[in-house]
Amino acid sequence: MDMQTLYLLVPLAPLVGAIAAGLFGKVLGRAWSHRITIALVGVSFAVSVVIFQDVMGGHIFNGSVYKWMSSGSTTFEVGFLIDRLTVMMMLVVTFVSLMVHIYTIGYMEEDPGYQRFFSYISLFTFSMLMLVMANNFMQLFFGWEAVGLVSYLLIGFWYTRPTAIYANLKAFLVNRVGDFGFLLGICLVLMVFGTLDYQSVFANAHNYVNDMAPIPGMSVGLLTAICILLFIGAMGKSAQFPLHVWLPDSMEGPTPISALIHAATMVTAGIFMVARMSPLFELSETALSFVMVIGAITALFMGFLGIIQNDIKRVVAYSTLSQLGYMTVALGASAYSVAVFHLMTHAFFKALLFLAAGSVIIAMHHDQDIRNMGGLRKYMRWTWITSLIGTLALIGTPLFSGFYSKDSIIEAVALSHLPGSGFAYFAVVAGVFVTAFYSFRMYFLVFHGEERFGKDHHDHQGDHADEETSHDHHHGLKPGQKPHETSWVVTLPLILLAIPSMFIGYITIEPMLYGDYFLDSIYIAEGHHAMAELREEFHGAFGMALHALTTLPFWFALAGAVSAWFFYLKRPDIPEAIKQKLSFIYTVLEQKYYFDRFNDWFFAGGARGVSGLLWKFGDVKLIDGFFVNGSAKVVGMFSGVLRGLQTGYVYHYAFWMIIGVSALLTVRTWFE
Amino acid sequence: MNYLASLSPIYAEMFLLVMVCAILIVDLFIVNYTKTVTYLLTQTSLFCTVLILLFTHQPGAAHLFNDMFVHDVMSYVLKVFICLAVMAMLLYSRSYLLVRGLFTGEFLALVMFATLGMMVMTSASNFLTLYLGLELLALSLYAMVALQRDSAIATESAMKYFILGAMASGFLLYGMSMLYGATGSLDINRIADVIQHGTPNKSLLVFGLVFIVAGLAFKLGAVPFHMWVPDVYHGAPTAVTMFIGTAPKLAAFAFVMRILVEALQPLMIHWSGMLMILAVLSMAVGNITAIAQTNLKRMFAYSTIAHMGFLLLGVLSGTIEGYGSAMFYAMVYVLMSLGGFGMIMLLSREGFEADTLNDFKGLNQRSPWLAFMMLLLMFSMAGVPPTVGFYAKFSVLNAALDAGHLTLVVMAVLFSLIGAFYYLRIVKLMYFDAPESHEKIYIQPDSSLLVSLNGMAILLLGIFPNTLMSVCFVSVQQSLLQ
Amino acid sequence: MNFETVLFYLFAAVTVFAALRVITARNPLHAVLFLVLAFVSSAGIWMLLEAEFLAIALVLVYVGAVMVLFLFVVMMLDINIEQLRKGFWQWLPLGGLLAALIGVQMVWVLGADEISAGTTAVKHAADYSNTKELGRLIYTDYVYPFEIAAVLLLVAMVAAIALTLRKRRDTKRQDVNKQVKVRREDRVRIVSVPSARQVESVQEAAASNHGHTAD
């Protein structure tokens, strides 16, 4: 098999699996559905490994495999750009997806939509692979939209729950906003460069540095406009402030997809895209500044929200938001490789945390409230250990994978000189404390302390007033019932994910950040030397860990963990008291800074108002009344007349034919 | 090379002819009314014909029998598709014809004779063989339409088809004789040569051309030579309608290519003007009249007329892109027709013909899968992406636009917008209306598989049109540009 | 103007006249007979062109066989000529106008430049066999169209049979096999009738018989 066939095999194998499980799921049955999809995703992962070795051998592929259509001088092709950035993403996507596939066997065991679920996650894997392997904007957009579509389907997987429908609609609409910007950006690229191919766009980008964007009334640099528009797409997909509102709600979907989509892969699409577009972003400092500030806001403020959440999955979701903010900040600091590095480590430990949370949820019989847990350490050994590893990685404990990536981000921001970098530095350092605090809060509440499960539930009326959505289906352990460890299909992925969560940072930091791993994929402009300075300070992975003991972030993280321990294990009364005292801040946080309220009121309400007006006047009167019904009437009239010509008499028909000949003759003689 | 080996390009036709005769004889000894043996023999023969075509094909064009027969890439591709379309048609219509007592050995023999006629047409390079192939096809079709003797409407439509067809043949022959008079030859290449380099009588040529175009327009069903189409489509048994509406269109496309492009390319300014009128009229009359139809077969008939208008749009562009996209359109049209009529037959049963719009009400509740396939078909006919119908329309329009026919393209788009109405109306009936009968739909496994394949092909070719498209381009390019 | 030209115009005039009469004759029988006349005079024109084979074939096949069959058919059918002619006058102006239009157009197009006489027919020696030459051509140069034409005839045959042959259960056909196999017992029943009866019993029998049939 030549390499091109292998490239094709990677995305197509999950597609075949998705089709098999989706269309023939009933015929195949549950067991065969998961066997087939898992085997095919496994194939995809194995082939990715082979391609990885090939790429490491220096074989970079960029070419089209299928010409889809051509319109005028523009051709639309399906093509692959297989370089080190791509192949890394391929490995991450296929590996995490494989883990999630296996885990799903256990998690969805009793669900009637078993085959459908497998079909969706395989389809998702296909879409994501198409996205990362693209060598042109068109295919990127296809993958982008396909990922959005499948996430819509998956968030609303339990489509009988109104909350799920609300959540998936919200995700879809918010993503539309982002996609609109993204599409505009692509259109602008096509307009300016006349092609959608990455290579030729990147090669010509520097010719347009001084051009102005064709936006009337505004003087914005052309490349700045393109980059910001593209980044708006990334904001939607990677849930950056203020388009982040969909991500916490999307926890309505089953847990495996939370791990797959909302932690490890889909939300990273935006980060990946910006890294891929580094030759464009590097040419616009304004855009980079914008990216950095947005990322910093997300990193800090979303972390705060994690502190007050009681739904185990929502805590993890907010931590995802905050970590995505970190990655975005790194992008803004021109440390693309660091961002992608954090993307990779984060994919592993966040998938781990989500799946562990899912494991806890299974054990708690689908009660997701951490106030009803506690002391699970004794009952769920594997889940406990792996969760601890995930948490330590998340807060950036030295030697764990998260440490290397997060610390590098902080260092890179410190070295950046763009406007806004001061704020960004503050945000990421403060974020370390917040991260450690909420992570360990959750950890302690779930695995340590008093066993609060099996009791009668709290009255959640207060929460219901808000849209604390996950509680309204009454699950949970019955009084006296004890949780027990979940089956091996659940714990095996946890263990397999825990290993890279611990070690992958230590192993790969040197080649990925300071070696020339991304030499061909990521471009850094002359003036941006954050990476170069980082490289000078770097003295081996172990040395970095030792050095960290003397730096601020480490002590912040420690402080966060300790205070979490103090507040939630030692003196649980203090948080209550604070909540009473600072009820104003608490309410603001509980309302998520009033974003949802505002969106509902301003956008949803406003749109309804405007559309009501348009409907009454524009649609009913003008379009329906005049254009549609009017033209339909005219057409209908003609239709009747023409139908009348079909008399059914053969000599009439013959006569028409003769008239036809005569007409043709006339035309001919006339135009002679 | 001995004589027999030199005949290898025509092995497929020879084989088919031998097999028809064999089947006619074998059928005499089969009393079983299901005619399983005859049926299987027919399918096998058609399949073997395809195999022979595949194995005997050699690159380049082969001329045989004093240049009366030509085997080139275009005829090769079209013949393979014709045979496959006929096989699919037989598969679809078997149970439909069985319950109506029409599944006789004679029917199968006529189908094969018609197939032979189409194959002769596609690889004719002489007016004589073109005409004979056409008549072989037409005669078989007349008989097939009339086969349901107890049905007055079938007999009536057969009569109309026969009389008008004879008239059209007369036009064609008259035109051909004019060309013969002007150029002194019936051979397509000779004619092209004489027109290009000799000094033929120009006005005689154009005069003949008018009649030839009229004859061709009849075969395609273009307005105003379309009157037979709705009556015959409606009156004939659905299986026969399906047959008329599918493979012969490919043969007709070859016919048009051979005469207008291969023989009369220098007269393009003349015939493209005539085709323009025919195309616009066809799209207008087809799409607008279809709206008023309540019978699905009649609606398809008008939609055929409109589709032929689109096909002509590609032909009249006069470029390789235009011919290639017209060929693509013809193939796609065949695929959609097979599905559309197949759907009618699948829903029909003994003594009941599912050919009115009301029969499709609420199909989604009775059989979601069939409804979905029908949805794909309707979308494709209307030209909604990502189905292949969209791509077919798009490439034809693109070719016409490149040839500078902006007004035509705008009109075509407008008319296909009107056309979208009646296709989407069926979708609406299927998904949003309550079914009129709740009778269980029983489908043979082979037809069910076929309809699924059909629908999927429409979707997949819409997403990946390039392979088929390049087949069309290559065949047109290699066959028409010597 | 030599004799041949005179003959040509004679035949041509007769052909045109006969053709016109075919469509104008009131009696369908007459129309068929005029058609025969048209064929015969066309055969004459062919003969002038030294196409003896075609001329003879036309007479033999068309006049001799086809038209006779036609005559039978016409005589067997009850054609109401008046019904066919209904609306003739109503449509005549329109049809005539169109015919005139096409005629004018034909003249216009074709009359634009003179149609050259082309090549004149080659004169052959007296022993030249038209039939033989035709046969040679058909089986060599034109063998392919000839074969297709043969298939065409086969199709016509199959079609004609398929359309007319009906296996109806209620037809009263002779079955020779059955007739030959028939035995005496199947056809003849010997009933012994008593020679002497009482009158009453006969009446009774008749009454009961009557009652039986009345049931």
Side-chain angles (χ1 to χ4, degrees):
Chain A
M1 261 195 286
D2 62 337
M3 288 316 286
Q4 210 152 325
T5 322
L6 288 183
Y7 298 151
L8 270 175
L9 195 60
V10 175
L12 290 188
L15 179 65
V16 170
I19 291 173
L23 294 184
F24 307 105
K26 268 189 199 149
V27 187
L28 290 171
R30 295 165 88 90
W32 275 106
S33 293
H34 75 234
R35 275 174 213 157
I36 288 174
T37 47
I38 289 174
L40 287 169
V41 174
V43 166
S44 189
F45 173 64
V47 174
S48 299
V49 172
V50 174
I51 295 175
F52 176 72
Q53 277 165 350
D54 183 58
V55 172
M56 292 312 282
H59 178 212
I60 286 170
F61 175 82
N62 180 16
S64 73
V65 288
Y66 181 79
K67 190 174 142 214
W68 185 57
M69 63 184 279
S70 59
S71 166
S73 58
T74 318
T75 54
F76 298 98
E77 294 174 328
V78 176
F80 293 144
L81 169 59
I82 309 286
D83 62 2
R84 293 177 175 193
L85 178 61
T86 308
V87 82
M88 190 216 84
M89 287 299 291
M90 282 160 65
L91 279 179
V92 171
V93 171
T94 49
F95 178 70
V96 175
S97 167
L98 182 61
M99 291 303 110
V100 170
H101 270 81
I102 296 171
Y103 178 89
T104 303
I105 302 174
Y107 193 86
M108 302 297 285
E109 212 175 358
E110 291 152 12
D111 201 280
Y114 194 75
Q115 291 95 324
R116 186 161 59 96
F117 192 81
F118 273 102
S119 169
Y120 284 173
I121 50 179
S122 279
L123 188 62
F124 173 78
T125 312
F126 159 75
S127 319
M128 191 68 194
L129 286 168
M130 287 303 275
L131 191 158
V132 297
M133 291 167 80
N135 81 338
N136 59 67
F137 283 90
M138 217 257 332
Q139 194 182 338
L140 177 74
F141 187 70
F142 165 77
W144 197 266
E145 289 299 313
V147 161
L149 170 74
V150 185
S151 75
Y152 169 80
L153 292 174
L154 280 168
I155 296 170
F157 184 77
W158 285 316
Y159 51 83
T160 46
R161 295 186 190 171
T163 50
I165 295 300
Y166 178 79
N168 76 352
L169 201 60
K170 189 169 174 183
F172 199 67
L173 290 178
V174 173
N175 268 301
R176 285 275 73 64
V177 177
D179 291 350
F180 186 61
F182 191 56
L183 192 59
L184 281 181
I186 292 178
C187 292
L188 204 54
V189 167
L190 182 62
M191 197 177 99
V192 174
F193 295 93
T195 173
L196 288 176
D197 189 61
Y198 287 165
Q199 217 64 32
S200 32
V201 170
F202 296 162
N204 291 322
H206 59 86
N207 298 332
Y208 297 93
V209 173
N210 297 319
D211 287 19
M212 282 294 145
I215 307 170
M218 280 166 85
S219 62
V220 184
L222 178 69
L223 290 174
T224 305
I226 290 179
C227 289
I228 288 183
L229 284 172
L230 290 177
F231 181 67
I232 288 174
M235 279 160 67
K237 202 112 294 184
S238 290
Q240 294 298 303
F241 172 88
L243 298 182
H244 63 276
V245 289
W246 62 274
L247 193 108
D249 282 359
S250 71
M251 294 303 124
E252 279 306 321
T255 306
I257 63 117
S258 305
L260 181 61
I261 295 190
H262 305 116
T265 52
M266 168 176 156
V267 291
T268 60
I271 309 295
F272 165 79
M273 189 271 288
V274 177
R276 173 57 86 212
M277 300 297 148
S278 59
L280 291 181
F281 279 84
E282 276 301 290
L283 297 175
S284 166
E285 297 214 337
T286 321
L288 284 178
S289 234
F290 180 73
V291 170
M292 185 188 278
V293 170
I294 292 287
I297 295 174
T298 314
L300 183 59
F301 288 91
M302 295 305 122
F304 284 144
L305 294 179
I307 298 174
I308 60 140
Q309 297 301 320
N310 290 323
D311 183 324
I312 184 168
K313 277 170 72 182
R314 277 176 179 255
V315 179
V316 189
Y318 278 106
S319 95
T320 302
L321 281 176
S322 148
Q323 297 305 308
L324 287 168
Y326 273 90
M327 295 178 214
T328 311
V329 170
L331 294 173
S334 293
Y336 302 99
S337 49
V338 179
V340 174
F341 182 50
H342 192 52
L343 185 160
M344 177 186 75
T345 57
H346 174 256
F348 292 122
F349 64 71
K350 190 48 63 70
L352 169 62
L353 280 174
F354 260 119
L355 296 185
S359 172
V360 169
I361 293 171
I362 300 175
M364 297 300 296
H365 287 225
H366 292 270
D367 182 357
Q368 306 190 352
D369 194 329
I370 50 177
R371 286 170 296 185
N372 298 339
M373 301 174 186
L376 288 180
R377 178 175 45 126
K378 278 182 281 181
Y379 305 100
M380 308 179 71
R381 287 276 157 194
W382 285 112
T383 309
W384 166 60
I385 292 173
T386 49
S387 289
L388 182 60
I389 292 170
T391 309
L392 288 173
L394 172 62
I395 68 165
T397 315
L399 295 176
F400 282 75
S401 60
F403 159 75
Y404 289 102
S405 51
K406 195 188 270 186
D407 225 42
S408 305
I409 291 176
I410 295 169
E411 293 289 317
V413 176
L415 293 169
S416 172
H417 308 296
L418 291 177
S421 59
F423 166 69
Y425 182 69
F426 163 74
V428 290
V429 173
V432 172
F433 173 80
V434 180
T435 308
F437 185 75
Y438 66 70
S439 304
F440 269 97
R441 169 178 173 263
M442 180 185 93
Y443 169 75
F444 287 132
L445 282 177
V446 172
F447 291 104
H448 294 268
E450 182 196 358
E451 296 178 8
R452 293 179 298 273
F453 47 81
K455 294 176 184 163
D456 279 338
H457 289 285
H458 309 259
D459 186 23
H460 291 316
Q461 286 309 319
D463 291 345
H464 276 281
D466 179 23
E467 18 141 356
E468 280 293 319
T469 44
S470 318
H471 305 280
D472 49 3
H473 31 92
H474 282 282
H475 291 298
L477 294 171
K478 291 184 190 74
Q481 208 177 358
K482 295 288 177 208
H484 53 80
E485 184 61 287
T486 41
S487 68
W488 69 270
V489 286
V490 175
T491 50
L492 177 73
L494 295 183
I495 296 162
L496 289 180
L497 283 167
I499 296 166
S501 297
M502 282 172 80
F503 301 118
I504 193 116
Y506 184 84
I507 299 166
T508 57
I509 181 170
E510 195 158 351
M512 274 183 77
L513 294 194
Y514 307 116
D516 50 6
Y517 183 84
F518 286 126
L519 197 65
D520 303 313
S521 322
I522 288 172
Y523 165 81
I524 295 177
E526 290 293 313
H528 303 154
H529 28 62
M531 281 314 294
E533 288 181 32
L534 270 184
R535 185 174 299 148
E536 276 168 27
E537 289 175 16
F538 181 74
H539 301 292
F542 194 71
M544 187 172 165
L546 274 184
H547 173 73
L549 297 179
T550 66
T551 57
L552 203 55
F554 172 74
W555 293 105
F556 267 35
L558 192 64
V562 169
S563 39
W565 169 78
F566 183 74
F567 283 139
Y568 290 96
L569 281 187
K570 220 50 190 167
R571 297 282 303 275
D573 52 315
I574 296 182
E576 260 330 288
I578 296 176
K579 192 170 153 185
Q580 301 299 329
K581 288 266 162 56
L582 298 175
S583 64
F584 167 69
I585 294 178
Y586 184 80
T587 319
V588 169
L589 290 179
E590 199 176 31
Q591 295 289 345
K592 300 156 199 156
Y593 309 116
Y594 292 96
F595 260 105
D596 284 342
R597 284 283 178 86
F598 178 75
N599 286 347
D600 274 355
W601 173 74
F602 187 77
F603 289 113
R608 260 201 297 277
V610 172
S611 52
L613 214 69
L614 284 178
W615 169 63
K616 277 196 193 113
F617 176 73
D619 213 50
V620 174
K621 292 233 173 81
L622 203 66
I623 296 178
D624 272 7
F626 183 71
F627 286 114
V628 176
N629 289 345
S631 56
K633 262 182 211 148
V634 173
V635 169
M637 214 173 68
F638 271 113
S639 191
V641 170
L642 287 177
R643 194 187 183 188
L645 289 181
Q646 191 80 20
T647 50
Y649 292 114
V650 67
Y651 49 88
H652 286 179
Y653 296 178
F655 197 65
W656 272 111
M657 283 171 69
I658 294 171
I659 290 177
V661 169
S662 162
L664 286 181
L665 261 179
T666 315
V667 170
R668 242 16 298 141
T669 28
W670 239 284
F671 289 93
E672 204 59 26
Chain B
M1 193 161 66
N2 65 16
Y3 182 65
L4 205 60
S6 75
L7 287 182
S8 74
I10 203 177
Y11 278 172
E13 281 89 342
M14 288 162 73
F15 172 76
L16 196 61
L17 179 58
V18 170
M19 286 315 290
V20 199
C21 299
I23 284 169
L24 274 174
I25 294 167
V26 167
D27 185 61
L28 286 179
F29 299 97
I30 292 169
V31 275
N32 181 356
Y33 87 102
T34 57
K35 298 285 180 194
T36 317
V37 177
T38 326
Y39 170 71
L40 289 179
L41 209 56
T42 311
Q43 288 285 39
T44 324
S45 324
L46 287 167
F47 185 67
C48 290
T49 311
V50 173
L51 288 185
I52 294 173
L53 279 169
L54 294 179
F55 284 118
T56 56
H57 178 68
Q58 273 152 358
H63 295 268
L64 281 184
F65 299 115
N66 220 9
D67 275 1
M68 294 209 176
F69 173 94
V70 63
H71 185 84
D72 49 17
V73 188
M74 184 175 82
S75 65
Y76 163 64
V77 171
L78 285 175
K79 277 187 223 172
V80 170
F81 273 83
I82 285 170
C83 288
L84 292 179
V86 174
M87 287 173 72
M89 168 257 161
L90 285 176
L91 210 61
Y92 266 127
S93 50
R94 181 160 185 245
S95 52
Y96 174 90
L97 289 170
L98 268 178
V99 297
R100 283 161 184 74
L102 293 174
F103 201 70
T104 56
E106 290 81 17
F107 175 81
L108 291 169
L110 286 173
V111 166
M112 284 176 81
F113 276 126
T115 312
L116 185 66
M118 289 185 260
M119 289 170 76
V120 170
M121 275 166 84
T122 46
S123 57
S125 90
N126 189 302
F127 279 173
L128 211 53
T129 39
L130 264 181
Y131 180 72
L132 284 169
L134 180 68
E135 283 303 304
L136 189 53
L137 167 65
L139 202 57
S140 316
L141 288 183
Y142 303 146
M144 282 162 72
V145 174
L147 217 49
Q148 195 174 20
R149 286 208 10 207
D150 302 327
S151 155
I153 180 170
T155 317
E156 182 192 323
S157 61
M159 208 60 212
K160 283 177 185 166
Y161 192 20
F162 179 69
I163 292 174
L164 297 174
M167 205 166 136
S169 288
F171 285 158
L172 207 59
L173 275 184
Y174 190 66
M176 283 176 177
S177 64
M178 289 298 139
L179 288 184
Y180 181 63
T183 61
S185 174
L186 286 174
D187 186 278
I188 281 175
N189 296 322
R190 280 274 309 147
I191 292 174
D193 200 45
V194 169
I195 297 176
Q196 200 112 52
H197 307 295
T199 52
N201 186 323
K202 205 69 175 191
S203 50
L204 199 58
L205 273 181
V206 175
F207 186 69
L209 181 65
V210 168
F211 284 89
I212 283 187
V213 168
L216 292 178
F218 176 86
K219 294 296 163 196
L220 287 172
V223 179
F225 306 94
H226 69 289
M227 294 295 209
W228 62 278
V229 181
D231 288 12
V232 171
Y233 272 42
H234 185 195
T238 308
V240 178
T241 312
M242 177 195 249
F243 188 60
I244 297 175
T246 51
K249 301 295 175 203
L250 293 175
F253 169 78
F255 199 74
V256 172
M257 285 293 114
R258 299 275 180 221
I259 294 191
L260 291 188
V261 180
E262 262 185 77
L264 304 175
Q265 176 73 33
L267 299 181
M268 197 196 100
I269 41 159
H270 298 282
W271 55 253
S272 76
M274 295 186 225
L275 293 191
M276 236 177 257
I277 298 167
L278 296 177
V280 171
L281 282 178
S282 301
M283 287 186 288
V285 172
N287 279 321
I288 292 176
T289 320
I291 291 177
Q293 305 305 321
T294 51
N295 182 292
L296 200 60
K297 276 157 81 179
R298 266 191 115 74
M299 199 198 90
F300 278 150
Y302 283 105
S303 112
T304 304
I305 294 169
H307 282 302
M308 289 307 126
F310 255 99
L311 192 142
L312 287 178
L313 208 57
V315 176
L316 67 86
S317 304
T319 54
I320 287 296
E321 283 73 34
Y323 304 144
S325 52
M327 184 167 166
F328 185 76
Y329 203 99
M331 287 184 176
V332 169
Y333 169 75
V334 167
L335 202 61
M336 298 187 301
S337 267
L338 275 176
F341 289 114
M343 200 61 78
I344 297 179
M345 286 198 276
L346 288 184
L347 297 184
S348 302
R349 36 176 206 279
E350 192 163 1
F352 172 72
E353 201 67 39
D355 62 353
T356 67
L357 292 181
N358 288 344
D359 298 325
F360 279 78
K361 272 188 185 167
L363 182 63
N364 184 41
Q365 290 172 38
R366 297 169 68 199
S367 167
W369 181 246
L370 278 188
F372 178 62
M373 289 298 126
M374 189 70 179
L375 171 105
L376 284 179
L377 285 168
M378 289 299 109
F379 274 12
S380 181
M381 286 194 185
V384 178
T387 53
V388 70
F390 163 75
Y391 199 81
K393 280 201 165 65
F394 175 79
S395 59
V396 165
L397 291 177
N398 212 4
L401 203 59
D402 284 346
H405 301 297
L406 180 65
T407 333
L408 272 183
V409 169
V410 171
M411 284 163 103
V413 170
L414 279 180
F415 285 127
S416 61
L417 271 182
I418 294 175
F421 169 76
Y422 57 83
Y423 297 121
L424 297 184
R425 181 172 56 187
I426 292 184
V427 174
K428 181 225 155 206
L429 288 178
M430 289 191 306
Y431 281 89
F432 300 109
D433 284 19
E436 289 198 335
S437 93
H438 287 277
E439 205 148 338
K440 197 155 163 39
I441 298 173
Y442 176 72
I443 307 168
Q444 303 279 346
D446 53 350
S447 339
S448 151
L449 183 70
L450 191 62
V451 81
S452 305
L453 280 178
N454 206 170
M456 284 299 127
I458 281 171
L459 192 61
L460 283 181
L461 282 175
I463 301 172
F464 307 106
N466 231 40
T467 319
L468 188 59
M469 195 79 208
S470 50
V471 165
C472 292
F473 273 114
V474 166
S475 49
V476 167
Q477 203 149 26
Q478 297 201 350
S479 309
L480 302 181
L481 286 185
Q482 276 103 6
Chain C
M1 195 191 263
N2 56 9
F3 183 56
E4 271 183 35
T5 323
V6 173
L7 273 183
F8 171 77
Y9 280 110
L10 184 68
F11 282 130
V14 171
T15 312
V16 171
F17 166 75
L20 270 176
R21 287 298 286 148
V22 172
I23 48 174
T24 51
R26 280 183 167 270
N27 189 335
L29 215 59
H30 291 172
V32 174
L33 288 173
F34 275 116
L35 194 55
V36 171
L37 180 59
F39 281 145
V40 171
S41 52
S42 318
I45 293 177
W46 255 333
M47 202 62 113
L48 284 178
L49 288 170
E50 295 187 3
E52 316 92 37
F53 180 79
L54 286 178
I56 292 167
L58 192 63
V59 173
L60 283 183
V61 178
Y62 279 84
V63 178
V66 177
M67 289 322 291
V68 172
L69 199 66
F70 232 85
L71 266 178
F72 278 131
V73 173
V74 168
M75 284 194 283
M76 271 155 68
L77 292 176
D78 180 23
I79 298 172
N80 186 348
I81 199 81
E82 283 312 310
Q83 180 135 34
L84 279 181
R85 288 179 164 269
K86 207 171 71 181
F88 178 81
W89 291 108
Q90 188 193 338
W91 290 99
L92 187 66
L94 190 61
L97 195 71
L98 196 67
L101 189 67
I102 293 183
V104 168
Q105 283 166 333
M106 283 168 84
V107 171
W108 192 357
V109 173
L110 296 179
D113 39 4
E114 201 168 315
I115 293 172
S116 59
T119 48
T120 44
V122 186
K123 297 277 178 190
H124 292 288
D127 62 342
Y128 174 81
S129 168
N130 196 301
T131 316
K132 193 173 154 193
E133 194 59 22
L134 214 57
R136 194 187 63 78
L137 273 179
I138 278 179
Y139 285 98
T140 55
D141 291 357
Y142 290 89
V143 66
Y144 180 57
F146 181 67
E147 292 298 330
I148 302 173
V151 178
L152 205 57
L153 289 179
L154 182 59
V155 173
M157 207 166 86
V158 171
I161 293 172
L163 291 181
T164 48
L165 177 72
R166 283 224 244 194
K167 295 193 182 85
R168 277 166 60 166
R169 298 232 169 72
D170 54 350
T171 46
K172 294 190 169 116
R173 266 189 317 164
Q174 272 189 322
D175 190 336
V176 183
N177 274 342
K178 261 190 184 167
Q179 282 180 328
V180 172
K181 277 188 199 149
V182 86
R183 285 174 304 165
R184 195 181 68 125
E185 297 87 70
D186 298 336
R187 296 286 163 89
V188 186
R189 189 157 57 97
I190 294 170
V191 186
S192 61
V193 182
S195 49
R197 285 180 296 184
Q198 284 181 327
V199 175
E200 289 89 349
S201 75
V202 171
Q203 276 170 342
E204 242 176 59
S208 76
N209 205 13
H210 186 75
H212 185 73
T213 48
D215 273 358

